[in-house]
Amino acid sequence: MSRKFKIRDQDKLYFVTFTVIEWIDLFTRKEFRDIVLESLKFCTINKGLEVWAYCIMSSHLHLILGRNGGEPLEGIIRDFKKFTSKKILDSIKTGAFESRKEFLLWHFGKAGRKNPNNQNFQIWQQHSHPIELNSNTKITRCLNYIHQNPVKAGIVLSPEDYLYSSARNYAGLLDCLIDVILLE
């Protein structure tokens, strides 16, 4: 069975998870979370990406995604992952804030050298395990899973208390980091 990312129906919503190689806690740094958020904003404005839900955890992010245009969803995802990888690597190499510079570059370099799809470095795991959300039950289950992730991890007591999650949007809070399309 192929592990390649496959979107069967471009008009459906999908639950996806993007995981940092070796589950490295990359997103403990605000600078890296901001790169992800800015890229999601860019893709919604310029590429037709629809973000219905998200949560950025320390080593991965969960999303419910769709699209509203001609560009295939897998192409948008490929571009998102490629762009965020380059920006994060540049930030690691040039930023004085990152105390784990050598550690991160060594691990990302090791993963990149093992993968023929990369030139030098790899930040994201190749596969995202898309789940087509073709029923209200699946949508509700995935939305709850995404929003409960920081609660289950013991980071917050309530989903809407976690700043890097669309649970804030769904709770009607005004200080949300990105706009999402609310599921009804």
Side-chain angles (χ1 to χ4, degrees), residues 63-82:
L63 301 136
I64 294 178
L65 301 174
R67 65 162 192 140
N68 65 9
E71 191 163 347
L73 189 54
E74 59 266 29
I76 298 170
I77 290 170
R78 178 201 61 234
D79 293 349
F80 169 84
K81 290 172 84 173
K82 182 177 181 180

Side-chain angles (χ1 to χ4, degrees), residues 148 150-152 154-162:
Q148 287 296 320
V151 175
K152 300 254 187 208
I155 299 169
V156 293
L157 295 175
S158 299
E160 63 273 7
D161 292 336
Y162 191 62

Side-chain angles (χ1 to χ4, degrees), residues 35-47:
I35 289 170
V36 167
L37 292 171
E38 290 304 315
S39 186
L40 287 173
K41 288 177 191 175
F42 177 87
C43 288
T44 58
I45 294 167
N46 298 293
K47 293 186 167 279

